[in-house]
Amino acid sequence: MRRALLLLALAAIPLSAVPFSAEARAPQALACAVIAAPEGLDAQLAEGMLTLDETRSKPALDTLHTLVDRCAADQFLNDKEREAYFGYALGRMARDGLDGRLKREGIPSDLIDKALDIGPGNANNPATQVTQGDLRRVSTALTEAGHDPAKVTPVGWGLITAWIAATAQMFDALRALD
């Protein structure tokens, strides 16, 4: 009986009276789809960012949709939040898949993030496309770090572009979730 009264009392508190932190989603909630993903899904999503081939990317995107739907249901996300969470998970997992490939090309992903002011506490400007200005900033950062941008292969520049796109996807969606 006491438990029922306590639940009724808690339900009567207006949501506006409950303090929420600036970070609306706990890191564990955001990581739900990443943790539940089958091995290799991040690499498949990264490949999709690189090739932009919707037909080849469809199986990976379908798998991600299934994971996101499960996580969204567990977290009571509405349709708009579910869509944003899908974008977040896609961007984050693609970044995970791209990171090792960048390293194999000799390009530190944190150098790209720093050059473009990406990451926690940074500007994380929304991006609808990768611009020449973005690539110039990365080129300058490579030079300052002792890497010759002229020696970056076309594959390397493709990975950089995909990294920037995945990052924009992730942070744009994260803003929509907050």
Side-chain angles (χ1 to χ4, degrees), residues 9-10 32 41 56 66 92 99 137 155 163:
L10 288 174
C32 176
L41 183 60
R56 282 187 23 201
T66 300
R92 179 171 171 188
D99 190 46
R137 282 189 280 286
V155 169
W163 179 267

PDB file of all heavy atoms in Angstrom, residues 9-10 32 41 56 66 92 99 137 155 163:
ATOM      1  N   ALA A   9       2.260   9.528  -5.560  1.00  0.00           N
ATOM      2  CA  ALA A   9       2.823  10.824  -5.193  1.00  0.00           C
ATOM      3  C   ALA A   9       3.890  11.249  -6.197  1.00  0.00           C
ATOM      4  O   ALA A   9       3.939  12.408  -6.619  1.00  0.00           O
ATOM      5  CB  ALA A   9       3.416  10.768  -3.783  1.00  0.00           C
ATOM      6  N   LEU A  10       4.740  10.320  -6.597  1.00  0.00           N
ATOM      7  CA  LEU A  10       5.778  10.644  -7.571  1.00  0.00           C
ATOM      8  C   LEU A  10       5.171  10.994  -8.923  1.00  0.00           C
ATOM      9  O   LEU A  10       5.642  11.889  -9.618  1.00  0.00           O
ATOM     10  CB  LEU A  10       6.757   9.476  -7.727  1.00  0.00           C
ATOM     11  CG  LEU A  10       7.695   9.241  -6.548  1.00  0.00           C
ATOM     12  CD1 LEU A  10       8.501   7.961  -6.763  1.00  0.00           C
ATOM     13  CD2 LEU A  10       8.621  10.419  -6.344  1.00  0.00           C
ATOM     14  N   CYS A  32      23.936   2.036 -26.243  1.00  0.00           N
ATOM     15  CA  CYS A  32      23.108   0.835 -26.337  1.00  0.00           C
ATOM     16  C   CYS A  32      23.285   0.100 -27.666  1.00  0.00           C
ATOM     17  O   CYS A  32      23.598  -1.087 -27.696  1.00  0.00           O
ATOM     18  CB  CYS A  32      21.645   1.199 -26.117  1.00  0.00           C
ATOM     19  SG  CYS A  32      20.500  -0.176 -26.333  1.00  0.00           S
ATOM     20  N   LEU A  41      29.793  -4.673 -37.749  1.00  0.00           N
ATOM     21  CA  LEU A  41      28.798  -3.726 -38.235  1.00  0.00           C
ATOM     22  C   LEU A  41      29.412  -2.335 -38.398  1.00  0.00           C
ATOM     23  O   LEU A  41      29.106  -1.635 -39.367  1.00  0.00           O
ATOM     24  CB  LEU A  41      27.576  -3.668 -37.308  1.00  0.00           C
ATOM     25  CG  LEU A  41      26.443  -2.751 -37.777  1.00  0.00           C
ATOM     26  CD1 LEU A  41      25.905  -3.198 -39.145  1.00  0.00           C
ATOM     27  CD2 LEU A  41      25.325  -2.701 -36.746  1.00  0.00           C
ATOM     28  N   ARG A  56      24.480  -1.547 -51.407  1.00  0.00           N
ATOM     29  CA  ARG A  56      25.429  -2.327 -50.598  1.00  0.00           C
ATOM     30  C   ARG A  56      25.304  -2.024 -49.115  1.00  0.00           C
ATOM     31  O   ARG A  56      25.571  -2.883 -48.277  1.00  0.00           O
ATOM     32  CB  ARG A  56      26.866  -2.061 -51.055  1.00  0.00           C
ATOM     33  CG  ARG A  56      27.211  -2.799 -52.319  1.00  0.00           C
ATOM     34  CD  ARG A  56      28.646  -2.721 -52.745  1.00  0.00           C
ATOM     35  NE  ARG A  56      29.619  -2.427 -51.725  1.00  0.00           N
ATOM     36  CZ  ARG A  56      30.828  -1.938 -51.967  1.00  0.00           C
ATOM     37  NH1 ARG A  56      31.212  -1.686 -53.195  1.00  0.00           N
ATOM     38  NH2 ARG A  56      31.669  -1.701 -50.984  1.00  0.00           N
ATOM     39  N   THR A  66      17.236  -2.150 -36.660  1.00  0.00           N
ATOM     40  CA  THR A  66      16.721  -3.124 -35.691  1.00  0.00           C
ATOM     41  C   THR A  66      17.290  -2.857 -34.305  1.00  0.00           C
ATOM     42  O   THR A  66      16.554  -2.857 -33.305  1.00  0.00           O
ATOM     43  CB  THR A  66      17.054  -4.557 -36.152  1.00  0.00           C
ATOM     44  OG1 THR A  66      16.443  -4.783 -37.424  1.00  0.00           O
ATOM     45  CG2 THR A  66      16.560  -5.592 -35.152  1.00  0.00           C
ATOM     46  N   ARG A  92      28.404   7.456 -34.995  1.00  0.00           N
ATOM     47  CA  ARG A  92      29.374   6.946 -34.016  1.00  0.00           C
ATOM     48  C   ARG A  92      29.992   5.629 -34.479  1.00  0.00           C
ATOM     49  O   ARG A  92      31.212   5.439 -34.394  1.00  0.00           O
ATOM     50  CB  ARG A  92      28.688   6.751 -32.664  1.00  0.00           C
ATOM     51  CG  ARG A  92      29.651   6.207 -31.632  1.00  0.00           C
ATOM     52  CD  ARG A  92      29.079   6.203 -30.264  1.00  0.00           C
ATOM     53  NE  ARG A  92      29.963   5.478 -29.372  1.00  0.00           N
ATOM     54  CZ  ARG A  92      29.661   5.173 -28.146  1.00  0.00           C
ATOM     55  NH1 ARG A  92      28.515   5.532 -27.632  1.00  0.00           N
ATOM     56  NH2 ARG A  92      30.503   4.510 -27.398  1.00  0.00           N
ATOM     57  N   ASP A  99      38.196   4.723 -37.851  1.00  0.00           N
ATOM     58  CA  ASP A  99      39.366   5.093 -37.055  1.00  0.00           C
ATOM     59  C   ASP A  99      40.589   4.231 -37.378  1.00  0.00           C
ATOM     60  O   ASP A  99      41.669   4.762 -37.629  1.00  0.00           O
ATOM     61  CB  ASP A  99      39.027   5.022 -35.565  1.00  0.00           C
ATOM     62  CG  ASP A  99      40.117   5.623 -34.702  1.00  0.00           C
ATOM     63  OD1 ASP A  99      40.597   6.726 -35.028  1.00  0.00           O
ATOM     64  OD2 ASP A  99      40.493   4.981 -33.705  1.00  0.00           O
ATOM     65  N   ARG A 137      41.692  23.011 -43.555  1.00  0.00           N
ATOM     66  CA  ARG A 137      42.046  23.013 -42.123  1.00  0.00           C
ATOM     67  C   ARG A 137      42.738  21.702 -41.738  1.00  0.00           C
ATOM     68  O   ARG A 137      43.711  21.697 -40.986  1.00  0.00           O
ATOM     69  CB  ARG A 137      40.803  23.246 -41.262  1.00  0.00           C
ATOM     70  CG  ARG A 137      40.375  24.706 -41.234  1.00  0.00           C
ATOM     71  CD  ARG A 137      39.284  24.981 -40.217  1.00  0.00           C
ATOM     72  NE  ARG A 137      37.946  24.617 -40.664  1.00  0.00           N
ATOM     73  CZ  ARG A 137      37.234  25.286 -41.555  1.00  0.00           C
ATOM     74  NH1 ARG A 137      37.713  26.367 -42.106  1.00  0.00           N
ATOM     75  NH2 ARG A 137      36.024  24.889 -41.891  1.00  0.00           N
ATOM     76  N   VAL A 155      42.809   7.521 -51.167  1.00  0.00           N
ATOM     77  CA  VAL A 155      42.097   6.714 -50.167  1.00  0.00           C
ATOM     78  C   VAL A 155      42.089   7.444 -48.828  1.00  0.00           C
ATOM     79  O   VAL A 155      41.064   7.509 -48.138  1.00  0.00           O
ATOM     80  CB  VAL A 155      42.732   5.306 -50.031  1.00  0.00           C
ATOM     81  CG1 VAL A 155      42.184   4.566 -48.825  1.00  0.00           C
ATOM     82  CG2 VAL A 155      42.524   4.505 -51.302  1.00  0.00           C
ATOM     83  N   TRP A 163      35.191  10.511 -42.385  1.00  0.00           N
ATOM     84  CA  TRP A 163      35.285  10.794 -40.945  1.00  0.00           C
ATOM     85  C   TRP A 163      34.534  12.081 -40.615  1.00  0.00           C
ATOM     86  O   TRP A 163      33.764  12.135 -39.647  1.00  0.00           O
ATOM     87  CB  TRP A 163      36.748  10.905 -40.521  1.00  0.00           C
ATOM     88  CG  TRP A 163      36.925  11.205 -39.073  1.00  0.00           C
ATOM     89  CD1 TRP A 163      37.054  12.436 -38.497  1.00  0.00           C
ATOM     90  CD2 TRP A 163      36.985  10.267 -37.997  1.00  0.00           C
ATOM     91  NE1 TRP A 163      37.190  12.323 -37.138  1.00  0.00           N
ATOM     92  CE2 TRP A 163      37.154  11.004 -36.804  1.00  0.00           C
ATOM     93  CE3 TRP A 163      36.916   8.880 -37.937  1.00  0.00           C
ATOM     94  CZ2 TRP A 163      37.258  10.391 -35.563  1.00  0.00           C
ATOM     95  CZ3 TRP A 163      37.018   8.275 -36.681  1.00  0.00           C
ATOM     96  CH2 TRP A 163      37.187   9.023 -35.519  1.00  0.00           C
TER      97      TRP A 163
END
